[in-house]
Amino acid sequence: MAPVKVFGPAMSTNVARVLVCLEEVGAEYEVVDIDFKAMEHKSPEHLVRNPFGQIPAFQDGDLLLFGMINLPFSVTTLSLSK
Ligand SMILES: N[C@@H](CCC(=O)N[C@@H](CS)C(=O)NCC(=O)O)C(=O)O
């Protein structure tokens, strides 16, 4: 299974929360840095991932998620698919 992707700087608290959940379920993941200084979070590419232009954003194959409220869903899905 391809590793899931988490978009955002790993030092961000909200990104770290996603990473903690992924560690908890033992999922393979890749952190894709988003350069805040370069306003990469407002770029057209990132707005596809998160229309609010915020981090974190989460990708599992074709599934794109944003918003911390989606975390339990995504982590449960990952747990069940292992
Ligand atoms: N409610 C959001 C919070 C995410 C958030 O506040 N991200 C901040 C950085 S930690 C952000 O992207 N700020 C940039 C902006 O709002 O333009 C979520 O659940 O994902």
Side-chain angles (χ1 to χ4, degrees):
M1 197 166 103
V4 300
K5 291 183 181 177
V6 180
F7 295 86
M11 62 181 275
S12 151
T13 310
N14 284 327
V15 172
R17 284 181 185 154
V18 178
L19 302 183
V20 165
C21 291
L22 292 171
E23 287 283 345
E24 191 64 31
V25 297
E28 280 186 50
Y29 61 86
E30 174 188 345
V31 180
V32 181
D33 192 31
I34 297 290
D35 187 346
F36 255 57
K37 282 188 185 161
M39 298 296 286
E40 203 180 340
H41 56 304
K42 303 297 182 190
S43 68
E45 293 82 11
H46 190 70
L47 290 175
V48 170
R49 300 177 200 119
N50 184 334
F52 295 107
Q54 293 187 321
I55 54 95
F58 176 90
Q59 183 176 16
D60 184 8
D62 293 336
L63 177 70
L64 285 170
L65 294 172
F66 60 88
M68 301 300 288
I69 196 126
N70 290 313
L71 262 183
F73 167 74
S74 53
V75 167
T76 304
T77 304
L78 286 166
S79 299
L80 294 175
S81 64
K82 276 203 316 180

